[in-house]
Amino acid sequence: MFFLKNRYVYTLCITILSTLGSSCTQASENKCQSDNVTKALNCISKDNNSLRKKLEDNGNLKTKDFKKWKDDTFAKCEVRLNYSLGDGAALTREYCYNDEYKNRLKYLNQPIRNIKVSSKVKNDDGFYVTVLPYNSNDHINCIMSKEKNSCNKINLIDSSKLIKVYSFISASYGDSVVFDRTRSGVLLIASPSSDESGDLEINLTSVNSLGIIKNITLDASKNVLINRNYEILYIEKGKIKKINLNDKGDFVK
């Protein structure tokens, strides 16, 4: 059975961008995607300045929940970051704010307010799904320290219960999270484990509509991120790496 021997603290080097419907938002996201951390940081910082202006123009400062939103955003994007790590941490912060600003704009532009997406939705197999975007840092912190903020962002599933339904999951894996199926019917599961030296890993398992199983293992210290498009991102040697999950359940680099 999986067992966490060491307590590691990992710092995000990139935060998942929310996928919004407008072509303007999509253009902004594409514009700032870069393998160079410094270039991406400069671009996303400029975009954030523009988004703050748009929030003001949409009456954000006058909303009743503005203070709560501001405090929650600060806690999410500032408190847990280690800025001694330089541009990588700064990029994390700016992507975090970018995501929050865009979600806020979308909320402010809704004709009907106070619409919440339930975080307690079960899949066809009876497991609560974790709503994307996913951050492996939250996953590990929830298991190791039962950190409230981290555990609120995922629906942790006991590995012993998961294996009873998904027999292909290794008994050496720790408590996992299950995501909602993709439009093509691919099931994706993220499970932590440790290698022989005790280093933490994130195992991603996909099952397509034909029942074909695929698996990849990533170093958890690189912080595995999955956005709403089921794109898997991580930092390696200062560059942003991306793996796509295609309609057949393949992990394509």
Side-chain angles (χ1 to χ4, degrees), residues 93-139:
R93 176 188 62 190
E94 294 303 322
Y95 270 125
C96 179
Y97 277 118
N98 195 267
D99 192 39
E100 294 304 310
Y101 292 160
K102 288 173 180 175
N103 284 338
R104 183 67 171 177
L105 271 174
K106 186 178 181 181
Y107 166 76
L108 291 174
N109 289 323
Q110 285 182 144
I112 300 176
R113 301 280 178 85
N114 300 322
I115 298 176
K116 295 184 177 180
V117 178
S118 174
S119 61
K120 292 294 183 182
V121 176
K122 289 184 177 181
N123 67 5
D124 294 339
D125 298 310
F127 294 115
Y128 286 113
V129 300
T130 289
V131 178
L132 293 172
Y134 162 85
N135 167 0
S136 67
N137 209 34
D138 291 329
H139 193 165

mmCIF file of all heavy atoms in Angstrom, residues 93-139:
data_model
loop_
_atom_site.group_PDB
_atom_site.id
_atom_site.type_symbol
_atom_site.label_atom_id
_atom_site.label_comp_id
_atom_site.label_asym_id
_atom_site.label_seq_id
_atom_site.Cartn_x
_atom_site.Cartn_y
_atom_site.Cartn_z
ATOM 1 N N ARG A 93 2.157 33.363 -9.576
ATOM 2 C CA ARG A 93 1.261 34.367 -9.019
ATOM 3 C C ARG A 93 0.444 35.052 -10.116
ATOM 4 O O ARG A 93 -0.775 35.198 -9.995
ATOM 5 C CB ARG A 93 2.081 35.408 -8.260
ATOM 6 C CG ARG A 93 1.238 36.569 -7.706
ATOM 7 C CD ARG A 93 2.139 37.652 -7.133
ATOM 8 N NE ARG A 93 2.991 38.200 -8.178
ATOM 9 C CZ ARG A 93 4.014 39.015 -7.951
ATOM 10 N NH1 ARG A 93 4.330 39.346 -6.716
ATOM 11 N NH2 ARG A 93 4.734 39.486 -8.951
ATOM 12 N N GLU A 94 1.109 35.473 -11.189
ATOM 13 C CA GLU A 94 0.426 36.208 -12.237
ATOM 14 C C GLU A 94 -0.590 35.342 -12.980
ATOM 15 O O GLU A 94 -1.680 35.803 -13.332
ATOM 16 C CB GLU A 94 1.444 36.794 -13.224
ATOM 17 C CG GLU A 94 2.333 37.870 -12.618
ATOM 18 C CD GLU A 94 1.561 39.039 -12.030
ATOM 19 O OE1 GLU A 94 0.534 39.443 -12.618
ATOM 20 O OE2 GLU A 94 1.963 39.543 -10.960
ATOM 21 N N TYR A 95 -0.261 34.081 -13.222
ATOM 22 C CA TYR A 95 -1.225 33.177 -13.856
ATOM 23 C C TYR A 95 -2.424 32.942 -12.937
ATOM 24 O O TYR A 95 -3.563 32.827 -13.388
ATOM 25 C CB TYR A 95 -0.569 31.841 -14.209
ATOM 26 C CG TYR A 95 0.041 31.794 -15.582
ATOM 27 C CD1 TYR A 95 1.369 31.445 -15.753
ATOM 28 C CD2 TYR A 95 -0.715 32.093 -16.709
ATOM 29 C CE1 TYR A 95 1.944 31.396 -17.014
ATOM 30 C CE2 TYR A 95 -0.159 32.048 -17.972
ATOM 31 C CZ TYR A 95 1.173 31.703 -18.121
ATOM 32 O OH TYR A 95 1.731 31.656 -19.367
ATOM 33 N N CYS A 96 -2.142 32.863 -11.641
ATOM 34 C CA CYS A 96 -3.227 32.680 -10.670
ATOM 35 C C CYS A 96 -4.184 33.868 -10.723
ATOM 36 O O CYS A 96 -5.397 33.712 -10.815
ATOM 37 C CB CYS A 96 -2.642 32.506 -9.274
ATOM 38 S SG CYS A 96 -3.894 32.288 -7.974
ATOM 39 N N TYR A 97 -3.626 35.086 -10.655
ATOM 40 C CA TYR A 97 -4.465 36.279 -10.741
ATOM 41 C C TYR A 97 -5.193 36.347 -12.086
ATOM 42 O O TYR A 97 -6.369 36.731 -12.156
ATOM 43 C CB TYR A 97 -3.618 37.535 -10.552
ATOM 44 C CG TYR A 97 -3.361 37.881 -9.103
ATOM 45 C CD1 TYR A 97 -2.069 37.898 -8.584
ATOM 46 C CD2 TYR A 97 -4.418 38.196 -8.245
ATOM 47 C CE1 TYR A 97 -1.833 38.207 -7.251
ATOM 48 C CE2 TYR A 97 -4.194 38.506 -6.915
ATOM 49 C CZ TYR A 97 -2.894 38.517 -6.416
ATOM 50 O OH TYR A 97 -2.671 38.812 -5.101
ATOM 51 N N ASN A 98 -4.515 35.971 -13.164
ATOM 52 C CA ASN A 98 -5.125 35.988 -14.482
ATOM 53 C C ASN A 98 -6.367 35.116 -14.515
ATOM 54 O O ASN A 98 -7.417 35.505 -15.033
ATOM 55 C CB ASN A 98 -4.099 35.517 -15.518
ATOM 56 C CG ASN A 98 -4.514 35.829 -16.939
ATOM 57 O OD1 ASN A 98 -5.131 35.011 -17.594
ATOM 58 N ND2 ASN A 98 -4.166 37.013 -17.416
ATOM 59 N N ASP A 99 -6.231 33.939 -13.944
ATOM 60 C CA ASP A 99 -7.348 33.000 -13.884
ATOM 61 C C ASP A 99 -8.502 33.585 -13.071
ATOM 62 O O ASP A 99 -9.667 33.533 -13.480
ATOM 63 C CB ASP A 99 -6.864 31.689 -13.262
ATOM 64 C CG ASP A 99 -7.872 30.565 -13.414
ATOM 65 O OD1 ASP A 99 -8.500 30.475 -14.485
ATOM 66 O OD2 ASP A 99 -8.017 29.780 -12.464
ATOM 67 N N GLU A 100 -8.170 34.176 -11.904
ATOM 68 C CA GLU A 100 -9.198 34.734 -11.031
ATOM 69 C C GLU A 100 -9.870 35.949 -11.666
ATOM 70 O O GLU A 100 -11.090 36.114 -11.562
ATOM 71 C CB GLU A 100 -8.578 35.128 -9.684
ATOM 72 C CG GLU A 100 -8.073 33.954 -8.866
ATOM 73 C CD GLU A 100 -9.144 32.913 -8.602
ATOM 74 O OE1 GLU A 100 -10.246 33.285 -8.143
ATOM 75 O OE2 GLU A 100 -8.893 31.728 -8.882
ATOM 76 N N TYR A 101 -9.097 36.817 -12.326
ATOM 77 C CA TYR A 101 -9.678 37.992 -12.975
ATOM 78 C C TYR A 101 -10.649 37.586 -14.079
ATOM 79 O O TYR A 101 -11.736 38.166 -14.220
ATOM 80 C CB TYR A 101 -8.570 38.855 -13.587
ATOM 81 C CG TYR A 101 -7.652 39.523 -12.588
ATOM 82 C CD1 TYR A 101 -6.390 39.972 -12.966
ATOM 83 C CD2 TYR A 101 -8.028 39.698 -11.250
ATOM 84 C CE1 TYR A 101 -5.538 40.586 -12.049
ATOM 85 C CE2 TYR A 101 -7.178 40.302 -10.334
ATOM 86 C CZ TYR A 101 -5.927 40.735 -10.737
ATOM 87 O OH TYR A 101 -5.080 41.333 -9.845
ATOM 88 N N LYS A 102 -10.270 36.585 -14.872
ATOM 89 C CA LYS A 102 -11.133 36.156 -15.971
ATOM 90 C C LYS A 102 -12.421 35.506 -15.454
ATOM 91 O O LYS A 102 -13.502 35.740 -16.002
ATOM 92 C CB LYS A 102 -10.372 35.193 -16.887
ATOM 93 C CG LYS A 102 -9.316 35.886 -17.724
ATOM 94 C CD LYS A 102 -8.469 34.894 -18.504
ATOM 95 C CE LYS A 102 -7.420 35.633 -19.341
ATOM 96 N NZ LYS A 102 -6.511 34.697 -20.019
ATOM 97 N N ASN A 103 -12.282 34.704 -14.417
ATOM 98 C CA ASN A 103 -13.483 34.100 -13.819
ATOM 99 C C ASN A 103 -14.397 35.169 -13.246
ATOM 100 O O ASN A 103 -15.630 35.081 -13.340
ATOM 101 C CB ASN A 103 -13.081 33.114 -12.726
ATOM 102 C CG ASN A 103 -12.548 31.815 -13.283
ATOM 103 O OD1 ASN A 103 -12.829 31.459 -14.419
ATOM 104 N ND2 ASN A 103 -11.756 31.107 -12.498
ATOM 105 N N ARG A 104 -13.786 36.196 -12.643
ATOM 106 C CA ARG A 104 -14.575 37.286 -12.060
ATOM 107 C C ARG A 104 -15.300 38.067 -13.151
ATOM 108 O O ARG A 104 -16.475 38.427 -13.000
ATOM 109 C CB ARG A 104 -13.656 38.207 -11.264
ATOM 110 C CG ARG A 104 -14.370 39.355 -10.541
ATOM 111 C CD ARG A 104 -15.265 38.852 -9.434
ATOM 112 N NE ARG A 104 -15.773 39.971 -8.625
ATOM 113 C CZ ARG A 104 -16.632 39.817 -7.631
ATOM 114 N NH1 ARG A 104 -17.083 38.607 -7.312
ATOM 115 N NH2 ARG A 104 -17.029 40.864 -6.934
ATOM 116 N N LEU A 105 -14.605 38.349 -14.248
ATOM 117 C CA LEU A 105 -15.235 39.050 -15.363
ATOM 118 C C LEU A 105 -16.416 38.260 -15.922
ATOM 119 O O LEU A 105 -17.476 38.813 -16.226
ATOM 120 C CB LEU A 105 -14.212 39.293 -16.474
ATOM 121 C CG LEU A 105 -13.399 40.582 -16.410
ATOM 122 C CD1 LEU A 105 -12.342 40.587 -17.502
ATOM 123 C CD2 LEU A 105 -14.305 41.807 -16.533
ATOM 124 N N LYS A 106 -16.215 36.966 -16.042
ATOM 125 C CA LYS A 106 -17.290 36.115 -16.546
ATOM 126 C C LYS A 106 -18.484 36.161 -15.605
ATOM 127 O O LYS A 106 -19.640 36.243 -16.034
ATOM 128 C CB LYS A 106 -16.775 34.686 -16.698
ATOM 129 C CG LYS A 106 -17.769 33.738 -17.368
ATOM 130 C CD LYS A 106 -17.170 32.350 -17.532
ATOM 131 C CE LYS A 106 -18.149 31.423 -18.230
ATOM 132 N NZ LYS A 106 -17.593 30.049 -18.377
ATOM 133 N N TYR A 107 -18.198 36.150 -14.313
ATOM 134 C CA TYR A 107 -19.260 36.216 -13.299
ATOM 135 C C TYR A 107 -20.006 37.549 -13.373
ATOM 136 O O TYR A 107 -21.239 37.592 -13.353
ATOM 137 C CB TYR A 107 -18.649 36.026 -11.916
ATOM 138 C CG TYR A 107 -19.564 36.409 -10.768
ATOM 139 C CD1 TYR A 107 -20.606 35.575 -10.380
ATOM 140 C CD2 TYR A 107 -19.384 37.603 -10.078
ATOM 141 C CE1 TYR A 107 -21.451 35.923 -9.343
ATOM 142 C CE2 TYR A 107 -20.210 37.952 -9.041
ATOM 143 C CZ TYR A 107 -21.249 37.122 -8.674
ATOM 144 O OH TYR A 107 -22.077 37.470 -7.647
ATOM 145 N N LEU A 108 -19.256 38.648 -13.475
ATOM 146 C CA LEU A 108 -19.870 39.971 -13.517
ATOM 147 C C LEU A 108 -20.739 40.160 -14.752
ATOM 148 O O LEU A 108 -21.700 40.932 -14.737
ATOM 149 C CB LEU A 108 -18.793 41.055 -13.479
ATOM 150 C CG LEU A 108 -18.024 41.204 -12.164
ATOM 151 C CD1 LEU A 108 -16.895 42.214 -12.322
ATOM 152 C CD2 LEU A 108 -18.943 41.587 -11.017
ATOM 153 N N ASN A 109 -20.401 39.469 -15.838
ATOM 154 C CA ASN A 109 -21.139 39.621 -17.088
ATOM 155 C C ASN A 109 -22.310 38.658 -17.225
ATOM 156 O O ASN A 109 -23.020 38.678 -18.231
ATOM 157 C CB ASN A 109 -20.194 39.438 -18.282
ATOM 158 C CG ASN A 109 -19.239 40.616 -18.436
ATOM 159 O OD1 ASN A 109 -19.619 41.752 -18.200
ATOM 160 N ND2 ASN A 109 -17.998 40.340 -18.811
ATOM 161 N N GLN A 110 -22.515 37.815 -16.211
ATOM 162 C CA GLN A 110 -23.652 36.888 -16.254
ATOM 163 C C GLN A 110 -24.946 37.649 -16.028
ATOM 164 O O GLN A 110 -25.028 38.481 -15.120
ATOM 165 C CB GLN A 110 -23.521 35.812 -15.171
ATOM 166 C CG GLN A 110 -22.494 34.755 -15.485
ATOM 167 C CD GLN A 110 -22.429 33.699 -14.403
ATOM 168 O OE1 GLN A 110 -22.224 32.543 -14.683
ATOM 169 N NE2 GLN A 110 -22.595 34.094 -13.165
ATOM 170 N N PRO A 111 -25.973 37.359 -16.817
ATOM 171 C CA PRO A 111 -27.265 38.024 -16.596
ATOM 172 C C PRO A 111 -27.901 37.630 -15.272
ATOM 173 O O PRO A 111 -28.641 38.381 -14.681
ATOM 174 C CB PRO A 111 -28.117 37.543 -17.784
ATOM 175 C CG PRO A 111 -27.453 36.286 -18.252
ATOM 176 C CD PRO A 111 -25.993 36.468 -17.971
ATOM 177 N N ILE A 112 -27.575 36.422 -14.806
ATOM 178 C CA ILE A 112 -28.088 35.948 -13.520
ATOM 179 C C ILE A 112 -26.902 35.642 -12.631
ATOM 180 O O ILE A 112 -26.035 34.856 -12.990
ATOM 181 C CB ILE A 112 -28.961 34.688 -13.672
ATOM 182 C CG1 ILE A 112 -30.151 34.989 -14.567
ATOM 183 C CG2 ILE A 112 -29.432 34.192 -12.311
ATOM 184 C CD1 ILE A 112 -31.014 33.780 -14.855
ATOM 185 N N ARG A 113 -26.816 36.268 -11.454
ATOM 186 C CA ARG A 113 -25.683 36.107 -10.565
ATOM 187 C C ARG A 113 -25.890 34.917 -9.626
ATOM 188 O O ARG A 113 -26.936 34.296 -9.547
ATOM 189 C CB ARG A 113 -25.504 37.386 -9.724
ATOM 190 C CG ARG A 113 -25.282 38.639 -10.562
ATOM 191 C CD ARG A 113 -23.849 38.740 -11.033
ATOM 192 N NE ARG A 113 -23.630 39.903 -11.878
ATOM 193 C CZ ARG A 113 -23.360 41.118 -11.414
ATOM 194 N NH1 ARG A 113 -23.304 41.333 -10.133
ATOM 195 N NH2 ARG A 113 -23.140 42.116 -12.255
ATOM 196 N N ASN A 114 -24.844 34.638 -8.869
ATOM 197 C CA ASN A 114 -24.863 33.621 -7.811
ATOM 198 C C ASN A 114 -25.116 32.218 -8.324
ATOM 199 O O ASN A 114 -25.753 31.394 -7.668
ATOM 200 C CB ASN A 114 -25.903 33.958 -6.733
ATOM 201 C CG ASN A 114 -25.614 35.291 -6.065
ATOM 202 O OD1 ASN A 114 -24.456 35.633 -5.825
ATOM 203 N ND2 ASN A 114 -26.658 36.046 -5.792
ATOM 204 N N ILE A 115 -24.648 31.924 -9.524
ATOM 205 C CA ILE A 115 -24.739 30.571 -10.066
ATOM 206 C C ILE A 115 -23.449 29.838 -9.708
ATOM 207 O O ILE A 115 -22.364 30.261 -10.075
ATOM 208 C CB ILE A 115 -24.929 30.586 -11.592
ATOM 209 C CG1 ILE A 115 -26.244 31.294 -11.929
ATOM 210 C CG2 ILE A 115 -24.903 29.177 -12.155
ATOM 211 C CD1 ILE A 115 -26.471 31.451 -13.416
ATOM 212 N N LYS A 116 -23.555 28.767 -8.966
ATOM 213 C CA LYS A 116 -22.369 28.040 -8.514
ATOM 214 C C LYS A 116 -22.301 26.657 -9.146
ATOM 215 O O LYS A 116 -23.322 25.981 -9.322
ATOM 216 C CB LYS A 116 -22.378 27.892 -6.987
ATOM 217 C CG LYS A 116 -22.256 29.215 -6.245
ATOM 218 C CD LYS A 116 -22.165 28.987 -4.748
ATOM 219 C CE LYS A 116 -21.973 30.308 -4.003
ATOM 220 N NZ LYS A 116 -21.885 30.104 -2.540
ATOM 221 N N VAL A 117 -21.091 26.251 -9.516
ATOM 222 C CA VAL A 117 -20.888 24.903 -10.041
ATOM 223 C C VAL A 117 -20.648 23.969 -8.873
ATOM 224 O O VAL A 117 -19.771 24.209 -8.046
ATOM 225 C CB VAL A 117 -19.674 24.876 -10.989
ATOM 226 C CG1 VAL A 117 -19.428 23.455 -11.490
ATOM 227 C CG2 VAL A 117 -19.902 25.818 -12.168
ATOM 228 N N SER A 118 -21.436 22.929 -8.775
ATOM 229 C CA SER A 118 -21.292 22.011 -7.654
ATOM 230 C C SER A 118 -19.974 21.267 -7.711
ATOM 231 O O SER A 118 -19.544 20.815 -8.769
ATOM 232 C CB SER A 118 -22.445 20.997 -7.663
ATOM 233 O OG SER A 118 -22.246 20.011 -6.663
ATOM 234 N N SER A 119 -19.306 21.192 -6.550
ATOM 235 C CA SER A 119 -18.053 20.447 -6.465
ATOM 236 C C SER A 119 -18.304 19.022 -5.988
ATOM 237 O O SER A 119 -17.369 18.292 -5.693
ATOM 238 C CB SER A 119 -17.083 21.151 -5.506
ATOM 239 O OG SER A 119 -17.647 21.225 -4.198
ATOM 240 N N LYS A 120 -19.591 18.644 -5.869
ATOM 241 C CA LYS A 120 -19.948 17.310 -5.400
ATOM 242 C C LYS A 120 -20.819 16.601 -6.433
ATOM 243 O O LYS A 120 -22.008 16.366 -6.229
ATOM 244 C CB LYS A 120 -20.666 17.393 -4.045
ATOM 245 C CG LYS A 120 -19.781 17.850 -2.896
ATOM 246 C CD LYS A 120 -18.692 16.823 -2.582
ATOM 247 C CE LYS A 120 -17.850 17.244 -1.401
ATOM 248 N NZ LYS A 120 -16.765 16.268 -1.116
ATOM 249 N N VAL A 121 -20.214 16.297 -7.559
ATOM 250 C CA VAL A 121 -20.916 15.602 -8.640
ATOM 251 C C VAL A 121 -20.277 14.234 -8.819
ATOM 252 O O VAL A 121 -19.057 14.113 -8.890
ATOM 253 C CB VAL A 121 -20.825 16.399 -9.959
ATOM 254 C CG1 VAL A 121 -21.473 15.624 -11.096
ATOM 255 C CG2 VAL A 121 -21.475 17.767 -9.797
ATOM 256 N N LYS A 122 -21.105 13.190 -8.890
ATOM 257 C CA LYS A 122 -20.593 11.832 -9.043
ATOM 258 C C LYS A 122 -20.572 11.422 -10.509
ATOM 259 O O LYS A 122 -21.428 11.840 -11.296
ATOM 260 C CB LYS A 122 -21.462 10.844 -8.248
ATOM 261 C CG LYS A 122 -21.308 10.960 -6.734
ATOM 262 C CD LYS A 122 -22.118 9.884 -6.028
ATOM 263 C CE LYS A 122 -21.921 9.943 -4.516
ATOM 264 N NZ LYS A 122 -22.688 8.892 -3.818
ATOM 265 N N ASN A 123 -19.594 10.580 -10.861
ATOM 266 C CA ASN A 123 -19.564 10.034 -12.210
ATOM 267 C C ASN A 123 -20.429 8.773 -12.273
ATOM 268 O O ASN A 123 -21.083 8.405 -11.293
ATOM 269 C CB ASN A 123 -18.121 9.759 -12.671
ATOM 270 C CG ASN A 123 -17.451 8.637 -11.890
ATOM 271 O OD1 ASN A 123 -18.063 7.970 -11.045
ATOM 272 N ND2 ASN A 123 -16.175 8.423 -12.164
ATOM 273 N N ASP A 124 -20.434 8.123 -13.420
ATOM 274 C CA ASP A 124 -21.302 6.949 -13.606
ATOM 275 C C ASP A 124 -20.929 5.785 -12.695
ATOM 276 O O ASP A 124 -21.737 4.879 -12.472
ATOM 277 C CB ASP A 124 -21.243 6.481 -15.065
ATOM 278 C CG ASP A 124 -21.840 7.498 -16.024
ATOM 279 O OD1 ASP A 124 -22.640 8.341 -15.562
ATOM 280 O OD2 ASP A 124 -21.505 7.453 -17.223
ATOM 281 N N ASP A 125 -19.707 5.793 -12.170
ATOM 282 C CA ASP A 125 -19.254 4.719 -11.297
ATOM 283 C C ASP A 125 -19.443 5.043 -9.817
ATOM 284 O O ASP A 125 -19.029 4.271 -8.949
ATOM 285 C CB ASP A 125 -17.775 4.411 -11.569
ATOM 286 C CG ASP A 125 -17.552 3.935 -12.998
ATOM 287 O OD1 ASP A 125 -18.283 3.024 -13.421
ATOM 288 O OD2 ASP A 125 -16.664 4.476 -13.682
ATOM 289 N N GLY A 126 -20.046 6.197 -9.522
ATOM 290 C CA GLY A 126 -20.373 6.543 -8.146
ATOM 291 C C GLY A 126 -19.294 7.289 -7.382
ATOM 292 O O GLY A 126 -19.410 7.463 -6.168
ATOM 293 N N PHE A 127 -18.261 7.795 -8.075
ATOM 294 C CA PHE A 127 -17.193 8.534 -7.409
ATOM 295 C C PHE A 127 -17.365 10.036 -7.647
ATOM 296 O O PHE A 127 -17.719 10.462 -8.748
ATOM 297 C CB PHE A 127 -15.822 8.100 -7.933
ATOM 298 C CG PHE A 127 -15.464 6.678 -7.606
ATOM 299 C CD1 PHE A 127 -15.306 5.739 -8.625
ATOM 300 C CD2 PHE A 127 -15.289 6.265 -6.289
ATOM 301 C CE1 PHE A 127 -14.976 4.422 -8.328
ATOM 302 C CE2 PHE A 127 -14.960 4.951 -5.986
ATOM 303 C CZ PHE A 127 -14.807 4.023 -7.005
ATOM 304 N N TYR A 128 -17.095 10.814 -6.599
ATOM 305 C CA TYR A 128 -17.137 12.264 -6.751
ATOM 306 C C TYR A 128 -15.985 12.703 -7.650
ATOM 307 O O TYR A 128 -14.838 12.333 -7.426
ATOM 308 C CB TYR A 128 -17.020 12.956 -5.395
ATOM 309 C CG TYR A 128 -18.276 12.880 -4.557
ATOM 310 C CD1 TYR A 128 -18.306 12.147 -3.374
ATOM 311 C CD2 TYR A 128 -19.442 13.538 -4.953
ATOM 312 C CE1 TYR A 128 -19.453 12.066 -2.602
ATOM 313 C CE2 TYR A 128 -20.610 13.460 -4.191
ATOM 314 C CZ TYR A 128 -20.606 12.725 -3.018
ATOM 315 O OH TYR A 128 -21.743 12.642 -2.264
ATOM 316 N N VAL A 129 -16.297 13.497 -8.663
ATOM 317 C CA VAL A 129 -15.270 13.961 -9.594
ATOM 318 C C VAL A 129 -14.633 15.242 -9.063
ATOM 319 O O VAL A 129 -15.262 16.013 -8.339
ATOM 320 C CB VAL A 129 -15.837 14.197 -11.011
ATOM 321 C CG1 VAL A 129 -16.421 12.923 -11.582
ATOM 322 C CG2 VAL A 129 -16.874 15.314 -11.007
ATOM 323 N N THR A 130 -13.376 15.431 -9.429
ATOM 324 C CA THR A 130 -12.672 16.678 -9.126
ATOM 325 C C THR A 130 -12.802 17.599 -10.325
ATOM 326 O O THR A 130 -12.517 17.207 -11.455
ATOM 327 C CB THR A 130 -11.183 16.402 -8.819
ATOM 328 O OG1 THR A 130 -11.097 15.744 -7.543
ATOM 329 C CG2 THR A 130 -10.376 17.693 -8.778
ATOM 330 N N VAL A 131 -13.265 18.813 -10.069
ATOM 331 C CA VAL A 131 -13.495 19.775 -11.146
ATOM 332 C C VAL A 131 -12.159 20.381 -11.576
ATOM 333 O O VAL A 131 -11.359 20.807 -10.752
ATOM 334 C CB VAL A 131 -14.449 20.892 -10.678
ATOM 335 C CG1 VAL A 131 -14.653 21.924 -11.782
ATOM 336 C CG2 VAL A 131 -15.788 20.298 -10.247
ATOM 337 N N LEU A 132 -11.912 20.388 -12.878
ATOM 338 C CA LEU A 132 -10.706 21.001 -13.419
ATOM 339 C C LEU A 132 -10.818 22.522 -13.326
ATOM 340 O O LEU A 132 -11.910 23.061 -13.376
ATOM 341 C CB LEU A 132 -10.503 20.570 -14.868
ATOM 342 C CG LEU A 132 -10.181 19.084 -15.058
ATOM 343 C CD1 LEU A 132 -10.202 18.729 -16.547
ATOM 344 C CD2 LEU A 132 -8.831 18.725 -14.451
ATOM 345 N N PRO A 133 -9.686 23.248 -13.171
ATOM 346 C CA PRO A 133 -8.301 22.790 -13.263
ATOM 347 C C PRO A 133 -7.831 22.051 -12.017
ATOM 348 O O PRO A 133 -8.311 22.294 -10.905
ATOM 349 C CB PRO A 133 -7.512 24.083 -13.454
ATOM 350 C CG PRO A 133 -8.348 25.127 -12.794
ATOM 351 C CD PRO A 133 -9.773 24.730 -13.062
ATOM 352 N N TYR A 134 -6.875 21.143 -12.225
ATOM 353 C CA TYR A 134 -6.278 20.321 -11.169
ATOM 354 C C TYR A 134 -4.836 20.745 -10.939
ATOM 355 O O TYR A 134 -4.115 21.092 -11.870
ATOM 356 C CB TYR A 134 -6.325 18.849 -11.590
ATOM 357 C CG TYR A 134 -5.384 17.930 -10.842
ATOM 358 C CD1 TYR A 134 -5.748 17.372 -9.614
ATOM 359 C CD2 TYR A 134 -4.143 17.593 -11.383
ATOM 360 C CE1 TYR A 134 -4.883 16.512 -8.941
ATOM 361 C CE2 TYR A 134 -3.287 16.725 -10.721
ATOM 362 C CZ TYR A 134 -3.664 16.191 -9.493
ATOM 363 O OH TYR A 134 -2.807 15.336 -8.845
ATOM 364 N N ASN A 135 -4.427 20.701 -9.674
ATOM 365 C CA ASN A 135 -3.074 21.078 -9.266
ATOM 366 C C ASN A 135 -2.557 19.977 -8.343
ATOM 367 O O ASN A 135 -3.103 19.752 -7.266
ATOM 368 C CB ASN A 135 -3.154 22.428 -8.552
ATOM 369 C CG ASN A 135 -1.899 22.804 -7.801
ATOM 370 O OD1 ASN A 135 -0.918 22.066 -7.794
ATOM 371 N ND2 ASN A 135 -1.939 23.942 -7.147
ATOM 372 N N SER A 136 -1.527 19.268 -8.753
ATOM 373 C CA SER A 136 -1.030 18.146 -7.949
ATOM 374 C C SER A 136 -0.513 18.589 -6.584
ATOM 375 O O SER A 136 -0.461 17.799 -5.645
ATOM 376 C CB SER A 136 0.075 17.389 -8.701
ATOM 377 O OG SER A 136 1.232 18.194 -8.859
ATOM 378 N N ASN A 137 -0.135 19.869 -6.473
ATOM 379 C CA ASN A 137 0.303 20.394 -5.186
ATOM 380 C C ASN A 137 -0.827 20.306 -4.163
ATOM 381 O O ASN A 137 -0.623 19.942 -3.003
ATOM 382 C CB ASN A 137 0.773 21.846 -5.351
ATOM 383 C CG ASN A 137 1.831 22.230 -4.346
ATOM 384 O OD1 ASN A 137 2.656 21.422 -3.952
ATOM 385 N ND2 ASN A 137 1.807 23.480 -3.926
ATOM 386 N N ASP A 138 -2.063 20.651 -4.595
ATOM 387 C CA ASP A 138 -3.224 20.532 -3.722
ATOM 388 C C ASP A 138 -3.460 19.074 -3.337
ATOM 389 O O ASP A 138 -3.798 18.764 -2.194
ATOM 390 C CB ASP A 138 -4.474 21.079 -4.420
ATOM 391 C CG ASP A 138 -4.419 22.586 -4.611
ATOM 392 O OD1 ASP A 138 -3.800 23.271 -3.774
ATOM 393 O OD2 ASP A 138 -4.985 23.075 -5.598
ATOM 394 N N HIS A 139 -3.304 18.183 -4.290
ATOM 395 C CA HIS A 139 -3.517 16.757 -4.084
ATOM 396 C C HIS A 139 -2.575 16.226 -2.992
ATOM 397 O O HIS A 139 -3.001 15.589 -2.020
ATOM 398 C CB HIS A 139 -3.281 16.020 -5.411
ATOM 399 C CG HIS A 139 -3.754 14.607 -5.421
ATOM 400 N ND1 HIS A 139 -3.904 13.894 -6.595
ATOM 401 C CD2 HIS A 139 -4.087 13.750 -4.427
ATOM 402 C CE1 HIS A 139 -4.334 12.678 -6.305
ATOM 403 N NE2 HIS A 139 -4.432 12.564 -4.997
#
